[in-house]
Amino acid sequence: MQPIKGVKILIVDDEPNIVQFLELGLQNEGFEVFTAPDGFTAVTLAKQARPHIVILDVMMPGMDGFEVCRMLKKTEQVAIIMLTAKEEVEDRVKGLTLGADDYMVKPFSFEELLARIYARLRNQFPHLFAEVAYGPFRIDDRRKEIRYEERVLELSPTEYELLSFLVVNHGLVLSKTVILDKVWGYDFRGEDNIVEVYIRSLRDKLNDKEHRIIRTLRGSGYRVDFG
């Protein structure tokens, strides 16, 4: 992956060895890196530096990672990847409920963390990428254009937003409720069958007659598959 200019990452951890390891590795990847040894410093620094990504340890003295996550998500447009030495489901659920975007259990590989960072950037800051490839799809958010197998799709603005959301989250089952919230907005008051209408239109434009690209999982939602 080519470095992306201007991406800021804040590392929040009270273990100096981990901070030094991540700071050096991320700087070598071309990111602008900030560090904080505790939650209070992290909240203050995030307001000043406005990072795109926060790598946030859960277990810290004083203000723990859960509280930092809650506070940052209320005031900042930021993607949070939480780190923990625990592998308990309750911790993961609590972090995600508070707004965390991803979760990694220590010890972890730097390569996996890097992959997750790029995934969050593509998902939440697509404007940083001139064009991003996802399987047979290429999404150019600056032009609001999507190509499928090198063919430019003629999409309305809402179709573009819906297909982008499905493709970026390929492999994940997305419920109608989630789709309505992310594409139409939380205050949408129309009928939820509008999702079905737009899915049908996208399938027509993709020539997806057998629903092999946009799959319906009855009772659960929709999932984009590339294979």
Side-chain angles (χ1 to χ4, degrees):
M1 177 67 69
Q2 292 294 321
I4 309 171
K5 293 182 179 180
V7 173
K8 301 177 183 178
I9 298 180
L10 172 60
I11 303 167
V12 188
D13 202 307
D14 62 338
E15 297 184 47
N17 290 341
I18 291 179
V19 172
Q20 185 177 16
F21 166 70
L22 293 178
E23 183 179 19
L24 181 61
L26 293 172
Q27 285 176 342
N28 287 339
E29 293 293 327
F31 297 111
E32 184 176 356
V33 182
F34 303 85
T35 65
D38 57 70
F40 295 103
T41 304
V43 172
T44 300
L45 187 55
K47 292 179 180 179
Q48 298 171 352
R50 296 296 177 89
H52 299 85
I53 303 284
V54 173
I55 300 171
L56 177 61
D57 186 39
V58 169
M59 303 302 292
M60 294 185 295
M63 185 188 298
D64 65 18
F66 295 127
E67 181 63 14
V68 175
C69 178
R70 186 187 67 80
M71 293 183 69
L72 292 183
K73 281 296 186 177
K74 286 177 64 175
T75 60
E76 308 297 326
Q77 184 181 0
V78 62
I80 296 178
I81 301 174
M82 299 197 77
L83 306 179
T84 181
K86 296 182 178 180
E87 199 170 5
E88 297 177 5
V89 173
E90 291 81 3
D91 278 356
R92 292 200 294 271
V93 171
K94 184 176 180 180
L96 294 171
T97 301
L98 290 171
D101 300 281
D102 206 344
Y103 217 102
M104 293 192 70
V105 177
K106 298 177 181 178
F108 54 86
S109 73
F110 180 77
E111 290 73 17
E112 181 181 359
L113 175 62
L114 192 61
R116 290 174 183 251
I117 287 172
Y118 277 111
R120 297 323 319 163
L121 290 172
R122 291 190 191 99
N123 187 286
Q124 292 171 248
F125 303 97
H127 61 279
L128 297 172
F129 299 80
E131 187 178 81
V132 184
Y134 300 90
F137 291 92
R138 301 186 75 87
I139 300 178
D140 188 334
D141 198 59
R142 295 179 183 180
R143 296 184 178 182
K144 300 298 180 184
E145 182 178 278
I146 299 178
R147 283 187 285 160
Y148 175 69
E149 295 182 340
E150 301 307 319
R151 174 171 59 91
V152 176
L153 301 173
E154 296 295 330
L155 303 173
S156 70
T158 301
E159 287 173 336
Y160 172 83
E161 294 298 332
L162 174 56
L163 185 56
S164 294
F165 181 60
L166 293 171
V167 170
V168 168
N169 292 281
H170 63 91
L172 300 179
V173 179
L174 304 169
S175 68
K176 287 183 181 179
T177 301
V178 169
I179 292 172
L180 283 169
D181 181 41
K182 296 297 184 180
V183 178
W184 276 268
Y186 72 91
D187 56 348
F188 177 72
R189 293 294 181 268
E191 298 293 331
D192 63 0
N193 66 355
I194 193 171
V195 176
E196 297 174 10
V197 172
Y198 274 82
I199 290 289
R200 187 159 54 244
S201 176
L202 289 178
R203 283 171 172 158
D204 287 342
K205 294 183 178 184
L206 291 166
N207 196 28
D208 185 21
K209 297 178 181 179
E210 297 182 1
H211 304 179
R212 291 183 177 177
I213 302 171
I214 304 177
R215 296 183 180 273
T216 299
L217 286 85
R218 192 171 300 278
S220 298
Y222 301 94
R223 184 185 72 215
V224 163
D225 284 337
F226 298 155

